[in-house]
Amino acid sequence: MPALAISENILCVGVQHPDRKMFDCLMPTPFGTSYNSYLISGTQKTALIDTVDPDFFEVFLRKLKNLEIKKIDYIVLLHTEQDHSGSVVQLLKYYPDARLVATSNVIKLMKTHLHISSEQFTVIEEGEVLDLGEHSLVFHKIPFAHWPDNTMAYDKKSGILFSSDLFGSHYASDRVFATDSHEIKDAARAYYAEIMMPFSPQVRKYTEMVVSMAPAMIASAHGPVWNDPSLILKKYLKWTGVQVNKTVVIPYVSMHGSSNVIMERLTWRLARRGVSVLCRNLGADPESLVVQTGHVLNDLVTAAAVVFAIPTVLGGPHPAGAYCAMVVNALRPQTRFIGLVGSYGWGTKIEEIFVSLTSGMKKTHRLETLLFEGLPTEEDLLKVDEYADSLADKILALGEDLL
Ligand code: FEO
């Protein structure tokens, strides 16, 4: 993609990575991603905001050379993670006079992760201004809008907020601006689930702060620029809010059909009570586990409950169910209820291991566990009905302000 202007004197010079399949070896990226870098030409100084993933340095450099960028005064680093800062050492070889600019939080992590000494930086802190002539950047720290060092920069002249990872999406596109397409919103939601959800209370505060700033555009470090910021801000207000949907997510694994029977009965009974159900088969094919776990996380941004339906293997939970439970636990959805149903052949410790794997979900109410020996009987299925009715009652009792 060529460099694209997003405003007068501001170019998007980042690179697209449409073939990227996974991010952080954890999150499927079906739409690829982009590593956004922005070049701001003031009347006095030129600043580059962030670099790109080091694997794409040559493409990035070619882009800067094609634009005949002879001098960069400041390389502003909003975040240390290598997909944004990883090209900086190579870039400095071509722009040796550039001064690195970052907050103390970034500088500390840059020393740890890229071995760049703090002497190479000009420190800017909360509320400080970097004057470029006409354009000037005001900095706001947003710790744990992924890492402890994330920082936003707001350009007063254009009204553009450079938001680092916040409000991003793993979405490669030739178009620089986001549309309100379902696909882009889906990518932004998946990104929220796996990157922002663990820190949703902080992200809520940052979102409210950005709403009050009323930026003209939001230029994130990943994905298209939000030239209508309300599109993404409305979504973040919903995702970080207290309301949930009347939805139960059932991640399930079934080796010989028993857990499948339980999942189907639970689904049927919940649906009869007016509760939506999303079933995610973790073991359908070799790629299911990671892809379906990604869907589970995406579902849990707004779902009221998650019930794992998994069998016992060698005394414990099937490893596919255990993996999904661990990832859910790590990403801390605001889900109100968590439960375990399943089967065993002749003995099981599945419940205690499952409870231990999900011990971080302290704000989530734990439902009674329901396990059956072998293939569930008709009598067992009546217990599944009772379980579903009890869960439906709890969800419906949340009341209108929470649903
Ligand atoms: Fe896109 Fe936290 O780096």
Side-chain angles (χ1 to χ4, degrees), residues 242-283:
V242 294
Q243 287 197 318
V244 289
N245 293 339
K246 275 187 286 184
T247 301
V248 175
V249 183
I250 307 181
Y252 71 98
V253 183
S254 194
M255 294 186 296
H256 303 297
S258 298
S259 297
N260 206 56
V261 168
I262 301 164
M263 175 277 292
E264 285 185 347
R265 185 67 168 234
L266 187 57
T267 300
W268 168 76
R269 190 74 180 192
L270 285 167
R272 250 182 56 151
R273 293 291 308 276
V275 174
S276 305
V277 184
L278 295 165
C279 301
R280 301 298 187 185
N281 187 349
L282 304 174

Side-chain angles (χ1 to χ4, degrees), residues 1 39 57 103 118 130 135 149 191 210 214 241 260-261 275 280 331 395:
M1 187 173 80
L39 188 77
F57 174 69
T103 64
S118 57
L130 184 69
H135 293 273
D149 62 336
Y191 179 98
V210 172
N260 206 56
V261 168
V275 174
R280 301 298 187 185
L331 297 185
I395 290 172

Side-chain angles (χ1 to χ4, degrees), residues 23 79 81 83-84 145-147 150 165 170 191 195 221-222:
F23 194 81
H79 174 34
E81 195 168 6
D83 49 328
H84 309 295
H146 199 205
W147 282 19
N150 289 88
D165 280 336
H170 287 312
Y191 179 98
I195 295 185
H222 293 286

Side-chain angles (χ1 to χ4, degrees), residues 114-188:
L114 280 95
H115 299 172
I116 299 180
S117 130
S118 57
E119 277 117 53
Q120 290 180 252
F121 284 89
T122 295
V123 191
I124 43 101
E125 297 293 13
E126 175 66 32
E128 290 186 359
V129 179
L130 184 69
D131 190 4
L132 307 175
E134 279 200 16
H135 293 273
S136 55
L137 297 171
V138 188
F139 293 87
H140 299 286
K141 294 183 177 185
I142 46 168
F144 293 104
H146 199 205
W147 282 19
D149 62 336
N150 289 88
T151 315
M152 297 194 296
Y154 178 67
D155 173 38
K156 288 182 186 173
K157 181 171 193 293
S158 63
I160 297 176
L161 180 69
F162 300 94
S163 62
S164 185
D165 280 336
L166 189 62
F167 308 125
S169 53
H170 287 312
Y171 193 89
S173 171
D174 284 344
R175 294 179 173 200
V176 72
F177 294 120
T179 65
D180 69 349
S181 81
H182 183 68
E183 210 177 67
I184 291 180
K185 284 190 257 186
D186 230 35

